[in-house]
Amino acid sequence: YLNQTFHNHTAIALHNWKSYTEMRNLAIEKYGLHLSEIELPSQTLEQGLDVLELMRNIHVFVSRYTYNLNTQCFVEKLSAALDRKHLNTISIRHVANSIRTHGTGITHTTINFAYQYLAQRFQIFNQFLFDDHIRSQLMKEARMVQAEMKAKSDAIKLSSKQGGYLTSMVDDKFEYPVERALRLMRDI
């Protein structure tokens, strides 16, 4: 446990490597624990963006990057790079370089950062949904959708009683109107 903790904290804050090495040495001397050496190589500039640096500032990464499904990489938004001519991208090559640089211990750290960020965002989203104003707007929309679904269902039943051939022409799917969604967004 201590090996993993010392490695994770050193990987998160490379400038504090000396403090964690001293704590490790104290644990060896005072308690006689057998701990492995913490050796993290430094980053080279040719590797591009470091995934560990992005995870330290995951809120900035989420606001500045979008995912491109065609190329399977994250691309920096134009609004985040107004003063530059080029956009940064993050692909699997960057992840592999970061693992090579910092060791496989960063995968646990990265997953932990992402999990904590998502848990925080879901908590905020949950609070947003339980706001009385938001909840009343969503309930109003739910009633509208139920009424539309009932009206479509009644139309299908009526057409099947009248002739049968109209049943295949009536669409039983409900498509939420875009105009209504835009109005809901404005109201909220």
Side-chain angles (χ1 to χ4, degrees):
Y1 172 78
L2 284 177
N3 280 331
Q4 181 181 7
T5 303
F6 287 144
H7 177 83
N8 287 342
H9 288 295
T10 303
I12 291 170
L14 291 175
H15 60 278
N16 287 338
W17 68 271
K18 191 172 184 179
S19 300
Y20 295 115
T21 302
E22 289 175 7
M23 284 190 253
R24 181 189 156 276
N25 291 338
L26 184 64
I28 291 171
E29 289 177 21
K30 188 157 181 142
Y31 299 107
L33 299 174
H34 299 286
L35 299 171
S36 59
E37 193 68 37
I38 302 171
E39 295 180 16
L40 293 175
S42 60
Q43 175 186 1
T44 62
L45 292 175
E46 65 203 27
Q47 292 177 347
L49 295 173
D50 187 17
V51 173
L52 192 58
E53 283 297 319
L54 295 174
M55 286 299 112
R56 286 186 189 134
N57 301 312
I58 192 168
H59 60 285
V60 175
F61 171 74
V62 169
S63 67
R64 291 187 182 173
Y65 285 82
T66 59
Y67 191 71
N68 185 330
L69 285 173
N70 294 326
T71 59
Q72 296 290 307
C73 69
F74 291 96
V75 179
E76 190 175 20
K77 293 179 183 176
L78 287 173
S79 60
L82 292 175
D83 58 336
R84 291 181 276 130
K85 293 181 181 179
H86 303 286
L87 296 176
N88 288 323
T89 61
I90 300 166
S91 65
I92 192 69
R93 182 176 49 87
H94 295 98
V95 175
N97 285 338
S98 290
I99 291 173
R100 241 182 261 113
T101 300
H102 301 293
T104 57
I106 69 159
T107 55
H108 174 70
T109 305
T110 303
I111 290 169
N112 193 22
F113 271 127
Y115 175 78
Q116 288 175 0
Y117 178 77
L118 288 173
Q120 176 192 23
R121 299 310 287 185
F122 277 121
Q123 183 179 12
I124 292 169
F125 180 64
N126 193 20
Q127 289 172 351
F128 173 77
L129 289 178
F130 280 106
D131 181 71
D132 289 337
H133 176 69
I134 304 302
R135 191 174 187 158
S136 67
Q137 293 287 338
L138 291 175
M139 294 298 287
K140 184 172 104 176
E141 292 302 309
R143 285 191 298 275
M144 186 277 303
V145 168
Q146 287 175 347
E148 288 289 326
M149 293 292 287
K150 184 173 180 349
K152 284 227 180 214
S153 174
D154 292 345
I156 291 172
K157 287 177 187 175
L158 181 63
S159 67
S160 66
K161 286 181 182 177
Q162 289 178 348
Y165 73 93
L166 291 176
T167 306
S168 61
M169 294 174 58
V170 177
D171 187 15
D172 62 343
K173 295 179 186 175
F174 173 73
E175 293 183 15
Y176 192 79
V178 175
E179 299 83 25
R180 194 163 177 104
L182 293 174
R183 186 167 34 110
L184 177 65
M185 282 178 36
R186 275 194 312 268
D187 290 347
I188 290 177

